[in-house]
Amino acid sequence: MDALREKYLSAIAAAPGEGALEEVRVAALGKKGEISALMATLGKMAPEERKAAGAAMNVLKDEIDAALRAKKAALSDAALDERLRSEWLDVTLPGRPRRTGTIHPVSQVMDELTAIFADMGFAVAEGPQVESDWYNFDALNIPPEHPARQEHDTFFMHRAEGDNRPPHVLRTHTSPVQIRAMTEQGAPIRVIAPGRVYRMDMDQTHTPMFHQVEGLAIDRDISMANLKWTLEEFCRAFFEVDRVELRFRASHFPFTEPSAEVDIRYSNVGGQLRIGEGDKWMEILGSGMVHPKVLQAAGVNPDEWQGFAFGMGIDRIAMLKYGIPDLRAFFESDLRWLRHYGFSALDLPNLPGGLSR
């Protein structure tokens, strides 16, 4: 044991850095180290011999362990001293000011898309977040048996016993705002409806409360071609790219006919999304021509007027543009997250350049 003591104390003293010191520790005290192997022989000794040998081995182990800790502390101190000699800090300099408040990314994106659609002639329409069953479902041609009308999908407001008023819900989309806008303003009309919506869903890409923007354009000769142009111009301005390519896939929504889900071409390079290039497609919104029954429910004659509607998640397009990995971060994050992703109050929304009307 004296030979092992001298061997490892010398090796510890000569270790030039923490990497070499760790190699010494493993060789001595690791699972297959020499001292560990020596202690494993205690089980084969006679009781009297085991008592004396065990005490000596424990002393050896503790001595080597103490020497390792002392050397590690000395190496850390030496590294710190070297850093202090090579680095300097002028403590007389004034502190760097830090912004105390930022604009939330969702608010920033709302400002951006409002500016973009305003340049295309869309006004902003608003409505209540607690909606009647009629505005949220019936007027949008959503049948009673539709899954969205079940309590496992929608937040229904509590009703006291004997309350015979129509059911009310936390709106599941901003489409009711379109109905209210058509009812109040008639046709022609061109509006977007941004705001909070609520659904019983929670994972990396869904939250019980999130934000949507829906668009509506009603006139006498509006077609799917107008819808395609509007969405292409929006994506070009919002994602700040010269070229975008959208793919329309046939789908079904009760409030539009025909209906289409819209994908955008993108690539993923080094963990960063690049919109408008590549060989991959990502769904970003739903759209279609407004169903005649929806027009009738809003008091607009479908024999004279027609139009398109679309809807997209504001949180989702904010994630795509600014590289935010998890939707839940919008609501569960601390101030450090906002300092990283938030926007200065002096930042201006990205305005589209030269959109033709």
Side-chain angles (χ1 to χ4, degrees), residues 128-132 136-137 153-157 167-173 176 196-199 208-209:
Q129 296 181 42
V130 177
E131 270 291 8
S132 71
N136 198 80
F137 296 123
D153 276 359
T154 300
F155 293 100
F156 281 83
M157 305 304 293
H168 280 68
V169 300
L170 293 179
R171 66 184 183 189
T172 59
H173 42 194
R196 294 186 183 94
V197 296
Y198 305 85
R199 296 178 189 175
M209 188 276 286

Side-chain angles (χ1 to χ4, degrees), residues 32-55:
K32 297 181 180 180
E34 286 189 89
I35 296 176
S36 299
L38 183 62
M39 296 189 72
T41 63
L42 288 172
K44 300 178 181 178
M45 298 181 183
E48 298 79 9
E49 185 184 5
R50 185 187 308 132
K51 184 177 181 180

Side-chain angles (χ1 to χ4, degrees), residues 342-356:
F343 295 85
S344 166
L346 298 179
D347 289 347
L348 296 177
N350 297 311
L351 296 175
L355 284 179
S356 57

Side-chain angles (χ1 to χ4, degrees), residues 74-89:
L75 290 172
S76 297
D77 291 343
L80 179 59
D81 290 340
E82 178 61 28
R83 182 178 176 187
L84 291 174
R85 283 193 297 270
S86 61
E87 297 180 6
W88 63 274
L89 175 67

Side-chain angles (χ1 to χ4, degrees), residues 176-252:
V177 179
Q178 299 180 12
I179 302 296
R180 291 180 177 274
M182 284 191 286
T183 302
E184 295 170 3
Q185 302 176 34
I189 188 173
R190 197 182 304 184
V191 296
I192 59 169
R196 294 186 183 94
V197 296
Y198 305 85
R199 296 178 189 175
M200 297 183 69
D201 210 348
M202 182 66 171
D203 57 36
Q204 186 173 354
T205 58
H206 298 86
T207 58
M209 188 276 286
F210 56 103
H211 302 81
Q212 267 191 346
V213 60
E214 301 197 16
L216 173 72
I218 303 295
D219 213 319
R220 296 187 185 277
D221 57 356
I222 286 182
S223 68
M224 288 286 287
N226 302 117
L227 169 65
K228 185 174 186 293
W229 178 88
T230 299
L231 295 178
E232 286 178 346
E233 291 299 311
F234 167 76
C235 291
R236 185 178 295 115
F238 179 76
F239 291 110
E240 301 178 70
V241 294
D242 295 328
R243 178 178 177 273
V244 296
E245 186 175 349
L246 300 181
R247 179 176 69 178
F248 286 67
R249 290 180 291 105
S251 186
H252 169 73

